Amino acid sequence: MNSLPPSPLRRHLLAGSASALAAAGLASFTRGAVAQTAAVAAPKPLPAYAGWKDPNALIVHSSSTIETRRSAFGNGVITPAEQLYVRNNLPAPDAAILADRDAWQVAVSGVKNPRTMTLRELKSLGIESVAMVLQCSGNGRGYFPSKPSGTPWQVGAAGCVMWSGVPVRWVAEALGGVADGMMFMTGTGGEALPAGVDPKTVIVERSVPASAMADALLAWEMNGAPLSLAHGGPLRLIVPGYTGVNSIKYVKQLAFTAKETDARIMSHGYRISPPGAKGDPSQPSVQQMGVKSWINSPAPDSGPLKAGMVQILGVAFGGMNAVAKVEVSLDGGKNWAPARFVGPDLGRFAWRQFALATRLPAGSYELASRATDSAGNVQPEQRFENAGGYNNASWVDHAVKVTVA
Ligand SMILES: Nc1nc2c(c(=O)[nH]1)N[C@H]1C(S)=C(S)[C@@H](COP(=O)(O)O)O[C@H]1N2
Ligand SMILES: [Mo]
């Protein structure tokens, strides 16, 4: 709705009658606006490659940006695939790449014995599983008052996912070990690139410090099922603790490199640049995630609540560290009470669900949550302003206003 003009015209448009507009002599002017109104009124359909997802659990921003509704997050730790967000920087590859999964090839370089390996070979090297928060760097961008360009994600460009595959360090060992002087691990996506443009400006290729290899997987399963096309099947690089963009889907190249890739998505994209500035290589890259939490229930759109006992429910994670503690406030951060964790601990890269049981008499409340990680880092009160709208972990921005009747 934000994109509609705030005017009497908007009221006409919301009334939805094209003929009334024509009668008012606005027909030609409003043709585009009418189409836009229709798009706002009817939820966008899921794109074909994600058509198996649950439309009721999702907000479809575009065919390549789909987020989980805040009210759809459940309490079973792992986010079901049908509810998990999707973000593609390029059109998803053709589903034909899943026809023979085991034949998928990944070129591994920057090791003593570089070569191309098939998924079949990778499966013979071993398997591990890791539960990890997958979160887009721009999750929470929608709460930046500066309205940075990019998808205005709220909380739902994130989920907790169980990945299974071979640890990257075992792959490197099988190829003689990482070559000397390699400071980065660089993954390259397998999308077909548009013709007529410099590949470096569009390719999805990211470098993370080589130390990230300690926890990284080449994964072929998600939540116990073969990896879907939407989430990077047949093979995906998984970098626990780092923002989503670093976990390269349809990975076709894994390189240990002396330098960061000069692909634009690395050199200029996903940089923490001052408001109003463009990204450039001198600025910090969006990589490791920080401590963050938010409340999912009551959700902001839950409407007036009935006075009485309420379970305040949410998720909390520490990024690189385990989450150690969550506090909840009913009054916008003046007073805090400890929440309890719900369900099993799936390791330091997973999120934990939390609950606070409280009695809410009639009134207005600002429900906030604030997490602390195992190293003592506390979720920040305020967002760190930046042009791209990245890394929003502000507990103020994620607070939920509710009315109890
Ligand atoms: N090959 C490839 N990998 C990619 C992307 C992409 O566009 N292509 N998008 C990245 C971004 S920005 C995010 S947030 C995550 C999204 O993962 P998901 O779609 O499985 O939720 O994938 C990352 N890996
Ligand atoms: Mo992302």
Side-chain angles (χ1 to χ4, degrees), residues 28-89:
S28 63
F29 173 68
T30 53
R31 189 161 304 159
V34 169
Q36 196 183 12
T37 308
V40 169
K44 293 194 187 90
L46 287 163
Y49 71 91
W52 50 272
K53 287 190 175 259
D54 176 3
N56 298 318
L58 297 162
I59 302 166
V60 181
H61 293 282
S62 75
S63 62
S64 55
T65 47
I66 303 168
E67 79 169 293
T68 312
R69 283 185 193 284
R70 196 167 189 167
S71 55
F73 281 107
N75 296 284
V77 189
I78 295 295
T79 309
E82 296 74 21
Q83 301 181 0
L84 184 64
Y85 85 100
V86 180
R87 164 66 169 130
N88 281 320
N89 291 271

Side-chain angles (χ1 to χ4, degrees), residues 6 34 45 79 168 184 287 305 323 355 357 359 385 394:
V34 169
T79 309
V168 167
F184 297 94
Q287 291 189 316
L305 301 176
V323 62
R359 185 173 296 282
E385 292 296 342
S394 154

Side-chain angles (χ1 to χ4, degrees), residues 67-70 73 139-140 143 153-158 294 296 398:
E67 79 169 293
T68 312
R69 283 185 193 284
R70 196 167 189 167
F73 281 107
N139 197 30
Y143 303 126
W153 305 108
Q154 297 167 45
V155 298
W294 64 81
N296 286 319
H398 292 78

Side-chain angles (χ1 to χ4, degrees), residues 85-90 134 136 189-191 204 230-231 236 244-245 247-250 270:
Y85 85 100
V86 180
R87 164 66 169 130
N88 281 320
N89 291 271
L90 287 169
L134 180 71
C136 184
E191 290 103 333
V204 178
H231 296 297
R236 179 171 192 171
V245 69
S247 287
I248 301 293
K249 308 201 259 191
Y250 347 100
Y270 298 89

Side-chain angles (χ1 to χ4, degrees), residues 291-295 312-317 323-341 352-357 366-373 376-380 395-396 398-399:
V291 60
K292 182 170 176 179
S293 71
W294 64 81
I295 290 165
I312 298 172
L313 307 173
V315 294
F317 54 99
V323 62
K325 173 173 92 170
V326 181
E327 301 155 288
V328 168
S329 173
L330 310 178
D331 54 10
K334 289 187 199 75
N335 298 283
W336 296 94
R340 56 175 282 268
F341 286 127
R352 297 209 66 184
Q353 252 112 9
F354 65 83
L356 179 85
E366 198 171 332
L367 310 178
S369 66
R370 182 174 71 181
T372 303
D373 75 9
N377 299 304
V378 182
Q379 182 176 353
W395 59 253
V396 171
H398 292 78

Side-chain angles (χ1 to χ4, degrees), residues 146-225:
S146 56
K147 304 225 176 303
S149 67
T151 306
W153 305 108
Q154 297 167 45
V155 298
C160 186
V161 183
M162 184 70 82
W163 304 102
S164 302
V166 63
V168 167
R169 58 185 197 283
W170 296 358
V171 177
E173 274 163 29
L175 301 179
V178 174
D180 293 337
M182 300 309 179
M183 308 293 287
F184 297 94
M185 178 173 75
T186 299
T188 310
E191 290 103 333
L193 302 181
V197 292
D198 175 359
K200 288 278 179 203
T201 62
V202 285
I203 197 163
V204 178
E205 186 170 275
R206 294 276 303 174
S207 301
V208 293
S211 59
M213 180 176 133
D215 308 303
L217 292 184
L218 283 172
W220 52 82
E221 271 187 27
M222 192 185 97
N223 296 353

